[in-house]
Amino acid sequence: MKRLSLLLLAWALALPAQALNIFACEPEWAALAQELAGDKTSIYSATVGTQDPHRVEARPSLIAKARRADLRICTGAELEVGWLPVVLRESANPAIQPGQLGAFEAAAYVTMMDVPTRLDRSEGDVHPGGNPHIQLDPRNYLPIAQALAQRLAQLDPVNAASYQQRHASFHQNWLAAIARWEKQAAPLKGQPIAVQHKGFPYLENWLGMKEIVALEPKPGMEPSAAHLATVLGKLQTQPVRMVLRAAYQSPRPSEWLAERAHIPSVELPFTVGGDGVAKDLYGLFDDTLTRLLAGLK
């Protein structure tokens, strides 16, 4: 029995030491942390790719993960305002509370789009800091990755050199990938599109696509049949090439419009894990462009 215990202890000691526990609010930040930290961290994503990041249940298992976290990586810009404050309060973990070194919000490192000039909740789910769906412009990952690598090094100085080395490698590979994606996406420039939810402004800005109309009458509000009929009428004078929706959304509104306007309804992964191809950050953009280009045919 003693010999068995010693063997188990030796096996445990042989396991790679993971210096940091990371709690990522969305899969794209878990994927970025994986790129920068590798096996130096234990990474948990609070949401999956087919889940609406606006609406998450603050369940006990989520709170338990937050309680043990050394670093919290979230989008910010109030994307998680409906559930994260409860998780933070119930976790009672001072290290990841707002303003602490263990609290990292990606939106702080990019230029925000659709920042409202006035706040009026009657206009739907409007975010005061701007549209929070920053993950669909690959250029945004460059400043975010740089800031996150620095934060990892601050929290875990023993492995700082590893984080810096992995960041340099990611930066080089990501720039090459962006150049390849932009060449591939050239036919999308200037193409008019409809969107089910205003979740794609960063993608549109990157690729030069022009959003003509959104199916939701207000952000977060399901369109009625009467509203969809109004949208269909608008497309008679302003036609679009396709209607986009995220993988987590119901296909009914976009497929209703697609059938009547004779255009493709294109489902995009929206984040890592949104479909079986988008298994990491590179797969997210590979698959997004493949689906958009297929929508032009």
Side-chain angles (χ1 to χ4, degrees):
M1 187 65 183
K2 183 177 180 181
R3 179 178 173 79
L4 177 61
S5 299
L6 289 173
L7 287 172
L8 288 173
L9 177 61
W11 173 78
L13 291 174
L15 290 175
Q18 293 173 323
L20 295 176
N21 284 318
I22 293 179
F23 179 99
C25 289
E26 290 85 24
E28 61 268 26
W29 309 130
L32 181 59
Q34 183 65 45
E35 293 284 345
L36 300 177
D39 63 359
K40 303 299 182 186
T41 59
S42 174
I43 303 168
Y44 172 77
S45 179
T47 54
V48 298
T50 52
Q51 190 172 7
D52 184 348
H54 302 86
R55 297 173 176 83
V56 177
E57 182 184 356
R59 57 189 188 278
S61 60
L62 215 61
I63 294 167
K65 290 289 186 181
R67 186 171 295 135
R68 293 191 291 272
D70 303 296
L71 173 62
R72 163 176 64 88
I73 309 173
C74 299
T75 297
E78 294 200 0
L79 175 63
E80 304 94 355
V81 69
W83 57 276
L84 186 59
V86 177
V87 171
L88 291 178
R89 186 187 68 234
E90 296 300 316
S91 75
N93 181 350
I96 60 171
Q97 300 298 321
Q100 299 303 308
L101 197 60
F104 183 94
E105 296 196 343
Y109 301 95
V110 301
T111 301
M112 300 299 290
M113 299 181 65
D114 296 345
V115 179
T117 54
R118 66 183 180 90
L119 272 181
D120 185 347
R121 292 301 181 189
S122 69
E123 294 300 316
D125 290 339
V126 178
H127 300 274
N131 192 303
H133 302 300
I134 60 176
Q135 81 279 5
L136 291 180
D137 185 340
R139 299 171 299 184
N140 283 343
Y141 290 85
L142 295 171
I144 294 170
Q146 181 176 18
L148 182 56
Q150 291 172 352
R151 188 67 60 90
L152 289 166
Q154 285 178 285
L155 289 166
D156 178 22
V158 171
N159 290 307
S162 174
Y163 300 133
Q164 291 166 1
Q165 184 177 25
R166 291 187 69 96
H167 170 249
S169 177
F170 173 79
H171 185 83
Q172 185 176 14
N173 293 336
W174 198 245
L175 284 175
I178 290 174
R180 172 170 58 84
W181 289 325
E182 291 182 344
K183 184 177 180 181
Q184 181 185 358
L188 294 165
K189 188 172 183 180
Q191 297 292 348
I193 59 167
V195 299
Q196 184 161 316
H197 171 68
K198 283 185 170 295
F200 305 98
Y202 298 90
L203 180 68
E204 296 160 14
N205 182 56
W206 174 46
L207 298 178
M209 297 187 297
K210 299 185 182 305
E211 181 183 312
I212 301 301
V213 67
L215 274 57
E216 292 179 348
K218 297 177 181 179
M221 180 183 293
E222 285 294 312
S224 65
H227 180 75
L228 287 175
T230 301
V231 172
L232 181 62
K234 182 174 183 177
L235 297 189
Q236 302 304 311
T237 56
Q238 291 182 279
V240 299
R241 296 297 303 272
M242 64 187 92
V243 55
L244 307 184
R245 70 172 185 276
Y248 71 82
Q249 293 178 304
S250 166
R252 288 194 301 271
S254 55
E255 290 186 351
W256 185 97
L257 185 72
E259 181 180 350
R260 288 158 180 79
H262 307 294
I263 56 175
S265 173
V266 178
E267 179 181 288
L268 298 180
F270 202 64
T271 184
V272 174
D275 62 27
V277 179
K279 294 179 179 177
D280 57 19
L281 290 174
Y282 294 93
L284 168 62
F285 288 99
D286 283 340
D287 192 46
T288 295
L289 293 186
T290 297
R291 288 170 178 258
L292 288 171
L293 290 168
L296 291 181
K297 296 178 181 176

